[in-house]
Amino acid sequence: MTTETFTKENVNLHAEQNRKNAYEKITDPMFMQVQRGEITQEDWVAEINKIKEQFPYVDADIEIEIA
């Protein structure tokens, strides 16, 4: 087995881009729905939090064992 290291900076860069894409696709349109009263602000914030959980930032490099 080998170990591959992903730097904190690289992981966070990818998380940032993935979040940006998800925000543009999912939560930006939801914001307009909030403004029109079609959904609650709580629904919008909950979706933002889901995206943050799906693409978390890390505090250290990540090592993954590859078979």
Side-chain angles (χ1 to χ4, degrees), residues 11-23 26 48-58:
V11 171
N12 288 339
L13 181 65
H14 284 280
E16 179 180 18
Q17 187 61 49
N18 286 328
R19 283 184 181 193
K20 180 180 180 285
N21 291 338
Y23 292 148
I26 300 166
I48 289 171
N49 289 330
K50 284 182 194 175
I51 291 169
K52 289 178 180 180
E53 288 175 22
Q54 185 177 4
F55 304 110
Y57 293 131
V58 298

Side-chain angles (χ1 to χ4, degrees), residues 4-52:
E4 182 142 1
T5 301
F6 298 90
T7 65
K8 172 181 111 172
E9 293 78 16
N10 197 23
V11 171
N12 288 339
L13 181 65
H14 284 280
E16 179 180 18
Q17 187 61 49
N18 286 328
R19 283 184 181 193
K20 180 180 180 285
N21 291 338
Y23 292 148
E24 288 174 359
K25 182 178 178 183
I26 300 166
T27 60
D28 287 357
M30 288 179 76
F31 177 76
M32 294 310 299
Q33 290 177 308
V34 170
Q35 296 302 303
R36 293 189 299 264
E38 297 171 1
I39 64 171
T40 67
Q41 184 169 350
E42 290 77 18
D43 291 338
W44 174 61
V45 170
E47 198 63 36
I48 289 171
N49 289 330
K50 284 182 194 175
I51 291 169
K52 289 178 180 180

